[in-house]
Amino acid sequence: MKLGIGIGWRPEIADAVEALPGVDWVEAVAENLCADHLPDSLVRLRERGVTVVPHGVSLGLGGADRPDPVRLAGLAARAELLGAPLVTEHIAFVRAGGPPTASPVLEAGHLLPVPRTWDALDVLCENVRVAQDSLPVPLALENIAALISWPGEEMTEGQFLAELVERTGVRLLIDVANLHTNHVNRGEDPATALDELPVEAVAYVHVAGGVEKDGVWHDTHAHPVTGPVLDVLSELRSRVDPPGVLLERDDDFPPAEELAGELTAIRGTLASTAAGPRPARQRTARATEPSTRAAGARERTGLAQTALLSALVAGAPAPAGFDRRRLGVQSRALAAKRADVIAKIAPELPEILGDGYRDSFLAYARNRPMSAGYRRDALGFAEHLLVTGRPADGAARRRLTRWWQERAAPRPPRRSTRLVRAARSALLGR
């Protein structure tokens, strides 16, 4: 299916997206949509014939657990509500732990890379098949950006994606900004990845902005698209004419004319490059056959991912083989994202706490990993402040108490809550 040129639909820029000329389609974050009701802006776009694709962020298909049937049903419902031609998700894990690992469930609140190993591939392929069987339309999966590399990887990114497509028939959503990010952060050549992956499986392409700081590229989706990212788009276009290309922006939204300018730059990049002949791809030889490794692959993957996530969000020691400095960068990035998301979904908290909000939340996050999503995280943060007698200002503390009561319980947390939290901390080994 030919999608054309699109832009990520976000509530903050809904009016601008509707007014932008030459937008053929939009993509909406699936988890931000109700399963039975669409925002008026998306209704109007659909009435105009604009295709809307739901983009999931919480399935965690690269995780050790099988896909959650409830999350899959929700994604399917949104695809049907939108009349979407396909749905998309990520090659990532977003949570780890639980009974198989004898540890608490931990939520990353972010997309984390899976190791490019045969074990991880076996688990991912099985999870993808489960998802494909549960969805009413085709599935496409996105390559992610990463600050960290797993030790002992057995494949390149292109080889990993090629094996995934070969074994499942899944389509690919290629994010050229993520390829650039991995070039800066992990030394991986985007051109090599594009040569190795099956570009004929590309469903569409993401283009997004980021920023480099202290030698690390941060895929922010909050900065303009850079020349190097457009260069990777040109590299991809020289290999295939992608069915669709979409501009992503998730924060610090610019004026509509700047978005229009970025779309124009994308169109120009596509128009200035033509697809040429491609060299034949070679399949990667695996050391052992799937049948000999399948047993225990989930357990091994789960233990490895839990160890990594525990180091990133719960203060556990760094697993062997990881770059400790990069783990520190990733850990701080996860905590900062938590603070930013909480400020968006619970804007009353930074209003009540003022300039002290961010430092207070980051101090809270250092010892308290997220385990049940951002809304529960916001309540947990407020509970922590109240049981420790904060904020010091009485009026602010009363406002915070009322906020908590309206969302959690008629009475503010007291000594019993403090004891429960102490018990949780003991179980988590903190």
Side-chain angles (χ1 to χ4, degrees), residues 81-105:
L81 181 66
L82 291 165
L86 77 164
V87 298
T88 58
E89 247 289 355
H90 298 82
I91 302 169
F93 77 101
V94 297
R95 64 189 64 86
T101 63
S103 64
V105 175

Side-chain angles (χ1 to χ4, degrees), residues 219-400:
D219 178 47
T220 64
H221 293 197
H223 292 81
V225 175
T226 63
V229 170
L230 292 176
D231 290 342
V232 181
L233 176 63
S234 180
E235 282 279 358
L236 185 146
R237 178 65 183 89
S238 72
R239 293 158 173 79
V240 69
D241 182 12
V245 179
L246 181 128
L247 172 66
E248 281 191 299
R249 188 76 176 229
D250 292 321
D251 209 347
D252 290 341
F253 299 102
E257 55 268 24
E258 290 186 27
L259 294 174
E262 292 197 282
L263 289 171
T264 297
I266 289 170
R267 292 187 185 96
T269 300
L270 294 171
S272 64
T273 311
R278 280 181 46 78
R281 283 186 297 105
Q282 299 289 325
R283 286 201 67 187
T284 308
R286 63 184 298 158
T288 55
E289 289 304 309
S291 58
T292 63
R293 291 189 59 94
R298 283 192 183 275
E299 180 181 359
R300 291 188 294 269
T301 300
L303 290 171
Q305 292 179 348
T306 300
L308 174 59
L309 190 51
S310 296
L312 291 174
V313 303
F322 281 95
D323 183 325
R324 284 173 168 77
R325 186 184 72 84
R326 282 294 175 90
L327 287 184
V329 173
Q330 181 69 84
S331 179
R332 291 188 292 275
L334 292 178
K337 180 175 180 179
R338 277 176 73 184
D340 291 341
V341 174
I342 296 301
K344 285 184 177 181
I345 68 170
E348 300 87 352
L349 294 178
E351 290 174 8
I352 293 169
L353 299 173
D355 292 340
Y357 162 75
R358 193 170 187 84
D359 287 344
S360 294
F361 186 88
L362 293 177
Y364 162 82
R366 272 197 296 270
N367 295 316
R368 293 165 185 83
M370 187 165 59
S371 61
Y374 283 112
R375 297 193 184 280
R376 178 60 248 182
D377 201 26
L379 288 172
F381 173 51
E383 290 173 9
H384 169 72
L385 293 177
L386 292 172
V387 299
T388 54
R390 290 180 288 167
D393 178 76
R397 191 163 60 252
R398 287 190 293 274
R399 285 185 64 195
L400 183 62

Side-chain angles (χ1 to χ4, degrees), residues 158 161-163 165-166 172 193-202 278 281:
L161 295 176
E163 284 290 326
V165 171
E166 180 75 24
L172 295 176
L194 291 172
D195 282 340
E196 292 175 337
L197 65 84
V199 292
E200 64 276 6
V202 172
R278 280 181 46 78
R281 283 186 297 105

